[in-house]
Amino acid sequence: MVLPTGTHHGPQTARSVGIKDVARAAGLSITTVSHALNDKGKVSARTRERVRHIADELGYRPNPAAQVLLTGRTGVVGLAAGHQSAEAWERTYRPYYASLTAGAMVAAVDRDYALVVVPARPGTDLWTRIPMDGLIVVDPVAGDPVINEALRRGLAVVTDGRPIDPDHAHLPYVHSDMDSGVPLALEHLRAGGARRTGLLTGPELDSYTLDSERAYACWCADRGLPAVVERVRNGEPARDAARRMLLADDRPDAVHALNETYGDALRGAAEDLGLSIPGDLQITAMGESGPGARPALTLLTLAPRRTGALCAGMLIDALAGRSPQPLSVPCALVPGDSTRG
């Protein structure tokens, strides 16, 4: 049986239902229906409820492109991942990003946002072609090009790690408390009998690296101890830098490594040189520990899942017009086989 034109029998399925169909069925203007469906304008609660009921009966679904034009929002936030070219990516940064992303995704979905992970490698602008409302930038650097481009495009930006560029000082951020975390690792080494504690750091000039180096320097200065710092050079295997550190005349008997890759490099270099761990050399490193078994390295953990959730919540708060304040996430120490404590 063919229904007469204009007659509805349940939800329309032959074609998609538009806002004009809802307006016609409700006997209202398109503007009034649009305001009712999008919580805009001066529409009574009774009219809003009636319009939404009719829209549901007809099977109306808002057009995503039209919604973007109407509200200026996509309902999507991004997370920019860098460091893919670094030696430490597989062992350290990939697991960190995975946990960070998991936390951010759950927090975003809980607040009706989608999360997309976008590359932020030098030479790629793929992320600029993805419609989104805001962006989480991990480990910002001075003059960060991703932050600069996101702000130029009018996106809300939150960083995981303190923004170190003065032009970005106004941005809200979540950061790991390295001012307390690094001394936590260093005091653990000292309690295990370390007399000369060094730092194996890297070439990245991001906030995590700089904050860790500053915390180490302050700890040494406060105790009148010499700072012994070795930096992995760009493109250099971390094991070469570790060997250089352990062959120096002022060789440390304990080292805090900026990540697990560097911690493993210290273990390998110590083995090459016939040094026992933890007898001749104690090692702590930033990293994540699984539940249960004692790790090979004593780890300073950074709670990336919690950090990701806080970043996503902060970004969505900013999109809602709030003014989120910086948040600090404490670190924890997980003893392993590489220290005496």
Side-chain angles (χ1 to χ4, degrees):
M1 178 179 70
V2 178
L3 295 175
T5 302
T7 302
H8 301 290
H9 186 71
Q12 296 187 19
T13 57
R15 63 178 177 84
S16 61
V17 176
I19 198 168
K20 290 182 180 179
D21 301 302
V22 179
R24 187 181 302 114
L28 297 170
S29 70
I30 292 174
T31 299
T32 299
V33 169
S34 175
H35 286 171
L37 293 174
N38 293 285
D39 287 323
K40 292 181 174 289
K42 296 181 179 179
V43 180
S44 69
R46 182 175 180 181
T47 299
R48 288 186 197 276
E49 184 178 352
R50 175 169 168 263
V51 167
R52 289 173 180 176
H53 178 72
I54 292 172
D56 287 342
E57 280 198 331
L58 293 177
Y60 168 76
R61 295 293 181 270
N63 180 287
Q67 287 292 100
V68 171
L69 290 174
L70 180 68
T71 66
R73 295 288 175 82
T74 65
V76 177
V77 292
L79 189 151
H83 286 307
Q84 291 97 323
S85 60
E87 179 189 2
W89 170 254
E90 286 298 330
R91 177 70 190 274
T92 299
Y93 294 121
R94 185 190 291 275
Y96 180 86
Y97 276 120
S99 294
L100 184 86
T101 301
M105 180 187 65
V106 171
V109 169
D110 281 348
R111 296 181 64 175
D112 294 327
Y113 274 81
L115 178 84
V116 58
V117 179
V118 298
R121 296 185 299 273
T124 179
D125 63 350
L126 173 63
W127 72 271
T128 65
R129 304 197 294 274
I130 300 174
M132 63 182 77
D133 300 327
L135 187 65
I136 299 167
V137 178
V138 182
D139 289 333
V141 298
D144 197 298
V146 175
I147 294 179
N148 287 336
E149 181 62 17
L151 294 177
R152 190 186 73 80
R153 291 173 177 269
L155 299 180
V157 175
V158 164
T159 64
D160 166 28
R162 175 182 56 85
I164 58 179
D165 193 307
D167 291 341
H168 303 154
H170 65 286
L171 296 175
Y173 64 90
V174 181
H175 75 132
S176 299
D177 184 7
M178 305 318 299
D179 287 339
S180 298
V182 169
L184 186 65
L186 300 176
E187 287 296 335
H188 178 78
L189 293 168
R190 195 179 190 193
R195 299 180 305 278
R196 190 178 188 87
T197 301
L199 178 72
L200 182 59
T201 183
E204 295 87 6
L205 296 180
D206 55 39
S207 58
Y208 165 70
T209 301
L210 297 178
D211 287 351
S212 297
E213 291 176 356
R214 186 191 68 248
Y216 168 77
C218 289
W219 182 85
C220 291
D222 287 346
R223 287 153 185 79
L225 299 172
V228 183
V229 178
E230 187 62 59
R231 187 180 298 278
V232 179
R233 299 160 187 163
N234 271 314
E236 177 187 38
R239 192 154 171 165
D240 289 353
R243 283 176 58 88
R244 190 165 58 245
M245 186 177 209
L246 299 182
L247 283 170
D249 292 339
D250 58 350
R251 177 182 73 79
D253 58 359
V255 180
H256 176 64
L258 215 62
N259 55 57
E260 282 184 86
T261 300
Y262 294 175
D264 285 342
L266 283 163
R267 291 171 61 203
E271 182 180 352
D272 293 342
L273 299 173
L275 300 175
S276 65
I277 297 173
D280 297 319
L281 179 69
Q282 296 188 82
I283 303 170
T284 59
M286 185 282 286
E288 299 308 309
S289 174
R294 181 179 173 91
L297 289 170
T298 291
L299 298 174
L300 185 66
T301 64
L302 303 185
R305 192 179 185 97
R306 181 185 176 194
T307 298
L310 290 173
C311 284
M314 184 177 284
L315 182 59
I316 295 168
D317 282 346
L319 288 169
R322 304 185 184 94
S323 300
Q325 298 302 304
L327 295 173
S328 180
V329 178
C331 305
L333 195 75
V334 180
D337 296 334
S338 63
T339 60
R340 300 189 192 105

